[in-house]
Amino acid sequence: MKNKGCLIIIGGAEDKKGDSVILKQAPEMLMENDILTVLTTATEQPRETGQDYHEAFTRLGVENVRILNINTRDDADNEDNCRLIDNSRCIFMTGGDQLRITSILGGTRAYKAIKELYRSGGIIMGTSAGASVMSSTMIVQGNDNEPARKCTLKMAPGLGLFEGVIIDQHFDQRGRFGRLLCGVAENPDILGIGIDEDTAIKLRPDMHFEIIGSNSVTVIDGKTIQSSNVSELNPNEILAIMGVTVHVLPQGYGFNLENRKVMRLKDE
């Protein structure tokens, strides 16, 4: 079934105290009585992190901000916790460790509630680790500031909200081009999306996304790859790849996922 909701996927370190262009998307899309729930599962400092986002969203005009700390799988099956998700219009997943999100939420009532919220028209936002988990397959570990090498990339199942992509965050700031390129080389049908800090993509139901924020999004399209040595490499050897397509897109651009074409958006 086609999802009717919107994903806002943030590369981390988004502005919380200034213009907050990315976080401001929430109050612009919410109605007066809608609930925004900050899900702190990824972090081991849920109280502090939750308070930071409560202050940020309240400052931006969101009246009903709730903090939900699902810290165990029992919490994720708790009726009251799931009811809060059901009653929310927007879920915001904080940064931290993406494996905490998937290992705690996977297969639970809370996980099903989040997917249903998105399917039925809700807004799911996530930053850093909360961004990586959006895809069906997520990057868990890989070398920063290194050329692409085989057997240096560790991936695991994500939440499956955004199919057919791998998402990487803190992208340019931590030198993660090589590791995302390796992920695309291993499965050229998957689109690699690297999101810089204080930058986000906003995915709409018609399967196009637009870029929001102060930096860029890198899109790596493996369908045009002519050849690579990824299947021939010994562990840690450097990747050779020919014909891969790379787009670097700042705010004002978008990307159509159905035809894999860059879009130049009209100035508002």
Side-chain angles (χ1 to χ4, degrees):
M1 298 177 65
K2 186 174 181 179
N3 295 305
K4 298 178 181 178
C6 177
L7 299 181
I8 299 176
I9 307 174
I10 310 166
E14 69 283 351
D15 174 23
K16 300 182 188 67
K17 297 183 178 180
D19 292 338
S20 303
V21 172
I22 296 169
L23 297 184
K24 195 181 291 182
Q25 295 295 311
E28 289 179 356
M29 299 176 72
L30 296 175
M31 303 293 286
E32 183 177 356
N33 295 318
D34 286 342
I35 296 173
L36 183 154
T37 295
V38 178
L39 183 61
T40 60
T41 303
T43 178
E44 294 183 354
Q45 297 179 312
R47 181 175 298 181
E48 297 87 342
T49 302
Q51 184 60 32
D52 285 347
Y53 281 106
H54 188 282
E55 292 175 1
F57 283 118
T58 300
R59 179 181 67 84
L60 293 170
V62 182
E63 295 184 2
N64 296 311
V65 182
R66 305 287 187 269
I67 308 301
L68 180 57
N69 180 28
I70 293 179
N71 196 43
T72 67
R73 290 183 63 79
D74 284 341
D75 292 341
D77 280 319
N78 178 274
E79 185 176 350
D80 290 338
N81 291 339
C82 295
R83 186 180 298 114
L84 177 56
I85 295 172
D86 290 338
N87 292 335
S88 299
R89 172 67 174 167
C90 178
I91 300 293
F92 182 93
M93 294 186 287
T94 71
D97 181 351
Q98 52 262 46
L99 271 179
R100 279 185 55 84
I101 299 176
T102 55
S103 63
I104 291 173
L105 295 184
T108 65
R109 291 176 63 187
Y111 168 69
K112 293 175 183 177
I114 290 170
K115 292 199 76 170
E116 175 59 23
L117 175 64
Y118 176 47
R119 188 200 67 77
S120 61
I123 305 161
I124 310 296
M125 304 177 71
T127 184
S128 192
S132 290
V133 296
M134 298 276 195
S135 55
S136 298
T137 302
M138 66 180 184
I139 295 176
V140 175
Q141 185 177 348
N143 293 339
D144 295 348
N145 295 304
E146 289 281 343
R149 300 174 189 269
K150 189 178 181 181
C151 298
T152 58
L153 189 66
K154 181 179 178 182
M155 293 190 283
L159 295 182
L161 301 175
F162 191 178
E163 305 244 349
V165 302
I166 305 173
I167 296 165
D168 211 349
Q169 20 80 10
H170 301 281
F171 190 67
D172 185 63
Q173 289 74 18
R174 298 187 184 179
R176 290 179 167 174
F177 183 86
R179 75 181 201 174
L180 186 58
L181 183 64
C182 189
V184 173
E186 291 175 1
N187 188 348
D189 187 50
I190 289 178
L191 199 70
I193 303 176
I195 308 174
D196 290 352
E197 293 179 355
D198 193 38
T199 308
I201 63 171
K202 184 176 183 179
L203 177 66
R204 298 184 181 274
D206 65 358
M207 295 308 292
H208 90 272
F209 65 76
E210 60 192 74
I211 289 83
I212 303 166
S214 62
N215 289 303
S216 298
V217 171
T218 300
V219 179
I220 303 178
D221 188 349
K223 281 194 172 181
T224 60
I225 291 174
Q226 297 164 357
S227 64
S228 78
N229 65 349
V230 69
S231 64
E232 305 163 8
L233 293 177
N234 293 318
N236 297 322
E237 286 186 346
I238 293 178
L239 176 72
I241 187 168
M242 283 68 73
V244 66
T245 299
V246 178
H247 308 287
V248 180
L249 307 174
Q251 184 165 298
Y253 287 83
F255 194 83
N256 186 318
L257 290 150
E258 292 188 340
N259 60 19
R260 298 202 178 203
K261 298 291 186 182
V262 173
M263 305 166 62
R264 183 68 171 95
L265 305 178
K266 294 180 180 180
D267 295 331
E268 297 183 357

